[in-house]
Amino acid sequence: MGTVHARSLDPLPMQGPDLGVQADEVDMVEVEPEAKQEVLENKDVVVQHVHIDGLGRTKEDILGYEIAEVFAAKNLIDVMKRSHDARAKLLRLGIFRQVEVLIDTSQGNGALPNGLDVTFEVTELRRMTGSYNTMVGNNEGSMVLGIKLPNFLGRAEKLTFQFSYGTKETSYGLSFFKPQPGNFDRNFSLNLYKVTGQFPWSSLRETDRGVSTEFNFPVWRSNHTLKWEGVWRELACLARTASFAVREESGHSLKSSLSHAMVIDTRNSAIFPKKGALLKINQELAGYSGGDVSFLKEDFEIQLNQRLFWDSVLSASLWGGVLMPIGDQPSCIADRFYLGGPTSVRGFSMYSIGPQSEGDYLGGEAYWAGGVHLYTPLPFRPGRGGFGDLFRTHFFLNAGNLCNLNYGDGPQAHLQKLAEFIRWSYGVGIVLRLGNIARLELNYCVPMGVQSGDRICDGVQFGAGIRFL
């Protein structure tokens, strides 16, 4: 029956992490008589053995969960499909540089006439790897240096040290990551960090030193994160001209909080989705597990996308949130919401909507923001099928409001206050996709509903980030 090299068959590409096949690496398979092919393709086979060659520091028990489904295959095509899935799972662990699959007939004592052996040939990552890259945040950029120890204890653990230096933020941290055997989506992480950020719109500098633990797990079509965070926060004035309201916030505080996040994402792309929806819900409770800061914070994000004619897409987004202090202490400036700028309500300067004191923006305890976008390809479709597909034109309408609430009033009074003095804007722009994690926007904006104290950006506005309204 001969040897079947799975890497030479089109349904099972096996070369490198991109799953591509190079022409010069394809092994020619001898064409056997028709009867032989019928045995392989149409009749039952049994996977008798699965071997993993090339292991060094990796423990074999962690890999058994990833390859177990191969034994359930009933015919050759099923063997190939299940081997391909197992290969993808092995690569997903992040401990192998390369994984190849060989399928052969069983040999030796006990070999069945229809028996097959599957061999995974793996190449482990080095014990230590380094990285250097740049990152784009919400209207800021940073340089990131990292050192990783993959497969730290032999069961897909990862120890990472990372240093980041950015335009507004500098940070370094140490993290430990551990997936659940057989279910990579269920994982635990422990983080130690220090972050120093500058917030010029508030004349504020914040330094956080903290520790956090996270547990991630899927439930049906949603992904959930449970998190505990303990952080020592130091607030200071960024300039001598800082307002008295900001100076009052200066000093030290200790926050201990429990949070939960749920994400349901059916979009086909995170940056330029053509269909699907996104729902994010976050809850954070601080004070009950220690610390001197107490509040309950809720926020959500909804996005809907619908493809129209001529490759155009209609997208609608809605954000909202509320912060409720617990006890007699007012909320802290570091915990409040901020609104405005090229990543939220366009046409306004960064976080320059809502309560302010002497030109310093103090944030708010409740907000909402909504947007409607019409995305279209570039006029005349230059570079179609290549570089031109990284660009889109968009027409947008944004609106939102940010304020503080009197929690002694009822819900009707709260809604009425959020509906007063709505800021909104409209315009047109060009969007550039950076990979599948960030995007750049160059827009012409017309701000409307401007209130006293708001800072506007009437005309051309540039934005960069990973989260846009």
Side-chain angles (χ1 to χ4, degrees):
M1 191 159 56
T3 300
V4 178
H5 294 274
R7 62 174 179 266
S8 67
L9 300 177
D10 290 339
L12 186 60
M14 290 298 162
Q15 181 61 40
D18 59 347
L19 307 185
V21 178
Q22 304 297 325
D24 57 349
E25 295 178 352
V26 177
D27 295 335
M28 299 302 295
V29 180
E30 292 185 3
V31 178
E32 299 288 347
E34 291 292 333
K36 301 288 185 178
Q37 293 183 3
E38 287 183 5
V39 171
L40 288 174
E41 296 176 3
N42 300 327
K43 295 187 177 181
D44 292 343
V45 298
V46 176
V47 177
Q48 291 191 267
H49 305 96
V50 176
H51 307 279
I52 302 179
D53 295 339
L55 294 182
R57 61 186 184 278
T58 304
K59 310 298 183 184
E60 292 187 6
D61 57 336
I62 189 69
L63 305 180
Y65 299 97
E66 314 301 332
I67 63 175
E69 290 296 321
V70 177
F71 287 101
K74 300 301 183 182
N75 54 61
L76 179 63
I77 300 301
D78 196 19
V79 172
M80 293 170 62
K81 291 180 178 179
R82 291 177 184 269
S83 298
H84 176 71
D85 293 340
R87 176 182 182 271
K89 291 180 180 179
L90 292 174
L91 288 172
R92 188 184 182 191
L93 293 176
I95 60 178
F96 300 121
R97 181 184 298 111
Q98 187 174 352
V99 177
E100 292 190 359
V101 183
L102 297 176
I103 302 175
D104 196 0
T105 54
S106 296
Q107 304 292 333
N109 296 332
L112 300 176
N114 62 340
L116 295 179
D117 289 350
V118 180
T119 302
F120 293 89
E121 296 181 351
V122 302
T123 303
E124 293 183 337
L125 291 173
R126 291 176 294 179
R127 292 183 179 272
M128 179 181 295
T129 63
S131 63
Y132 166 79
N133 60 316
T134 57
M135 293 183 63
V136 177
N138 285 329
N139 230 37
E140 64 174 314
S142 59
M143 175 189 69
V144 181
L145 301 174
I147 298 176
K148 297 181 181 179
L149 278 67
N151 209 12
F152 183 56
L153 300 176
R155 291 185 171 87
E157 302 88 354
K158 181 169 61 177
L159 188 66
T160 305
F161 174 79
Q162 185 168 283
F163 170 77
S164 173
Y165 180 81
T167 54
K168 297 185 180 72
E169 184 177 283
T170 301
S171 66
Y172 57 85
L174 182 68
S175 65
F176 174 77
F177 172 85
K178 168 69 176 177
Q180 176 181 322
N183 194 337
F184 190 82
D185 290 327
R186 290 178 176 266
N187 54 74
F188 168 82
S189 62
L190 175 65
N191 308 283
L192 301 170
Y193 62 88
K194 177 182 178 182
V195 181
T196 300
Q198 297 182 359
F199 310 99
W201 48 85
S202 301
S203 298
L204 186 71
R205 180 176 66 250
E206 179 179 354
T207 301
D208 294 346
R209 305 170 181 88
V211 57
S212 66
T213 60
E214 294 183 18
F215 177 56
N216 300 284
F217 58 96
V219 176
W220 193 48
R221 297 183 179 180
S222 62
N223 292 305
H224 296 255
T225 300
L226 295 177
K227 179 179 180 179
W228 172 82
E229 182 179 38
V231 54
W232 167 27
R233 305 186 297 188
E234 181 182 359
L235 303 181
C237 296
L238 189 59
R240 295 182 178 180
T241 57
S243 65
F244 182 73
V246 173
R247 295 178 185 274
E248 280 188 315
E249 299 276 359
S250 299
H252 299 265
S253 63
L254 182 62
K255 184 183 80 168
S256 176
S257 67
L258 299 170
S259 63
H260 168 258
M262 182 192 73
V263 179
I264 301 177
D265 193 352
T266 62
R267 300 173 299 172
N268 65 323
S269 170
I271 304 301
F272 285 160
K274 294 184 178 180
K275 61 180 180 179
L278 170 69
L279 172 63
K280 289 184 178 181
I281 301 176
N282 299 282
Q283 304 97 24
E284 183 180 8
L285 177 63
Y288 278 81
S289 55
D292 54 11
V293 178
S294 299
F295 62 81
L296 175 63
K297 190 175 184 178
E298 302 268 353
D299 66 279
F300 69 90
E301 176 181 352
I302 300 174
Q303 183 185 106
L304 303 175
N305 302 278
Q306 180 61 52
R307 187 169 184 172
L308 305 177
F309 50 86
W310 296 332
D311 203 22
S312 60
V313 177
L314 182 65
S315 178
S317 301
L318 179 64
W319 298 354
V322 62
L323 171 67
M324 295 176 287
I326 299 175
D328 299 330
Q329 290 186 345
S331 61
C332 176
I333 190 173
D335 298 316
R336 298 176 192 142
F337 299 105
Y338 292 83
L339 189 63
T343 61
S344 56
V345 182
R346 297 161 178 83
F348 291 81
S349 297
M350 198 70 178
Y351 300 143
S352 62
I353 291 177
Q356 56 93 22
S357 174
E358 302 176 29
D360 294 332
Y361 293 89
L362 307 178
E365 295 175 345
Y367 88 103
W368 69 271
V372 178
H373 295 255
L374 178 63
Y375 295 97
T376 66
L378 292 176
F380 309 110
R381 304 297 294 268
R384 184 175 184 178
F387 184 71
D389 290 342
L390 299 178
F391 293 86
R392 291 285 189 276
T393 58
H394 75 136
F395 304 87
F396 62 86
L397 173 65
N398 298 153
N401 196 11
L402 176 76
C403 62
N404 290 317
L405 301 179
N406 183 357
Y407 291 100
D409 300 334
Q412 186 174 356
H414 297 166
L415 293 176
Q416 182 177 357
K417 192 167 185 179
L418 285 169
E420 294 176 347
F421 311 120
I422 295 176
R423 286 81 161 177
W424 61 284
S425 66
Y426 64 92
V428 62
I430 297 178
V431 185
L432 169 63
R433 174 171 61 88
L434 299 177
N436 202 35
I437 57 173
R439 77 188 205 186
L440 306 179
E441 288 189 5
L442 183 63
N443 300 317
Y444 185 86
C445 310
V446 181
M448 306 294 289
V450 181
Q451 303 299 316
S452 177
D454 293 345
R455 292 177 187 167
I456 65 173
C457 185
D458 191 2
V460 178
Q461 186 178 40
F462 174 79
I466 57 177
R467 180 175 181 254
F468 283 81
L469 179 65

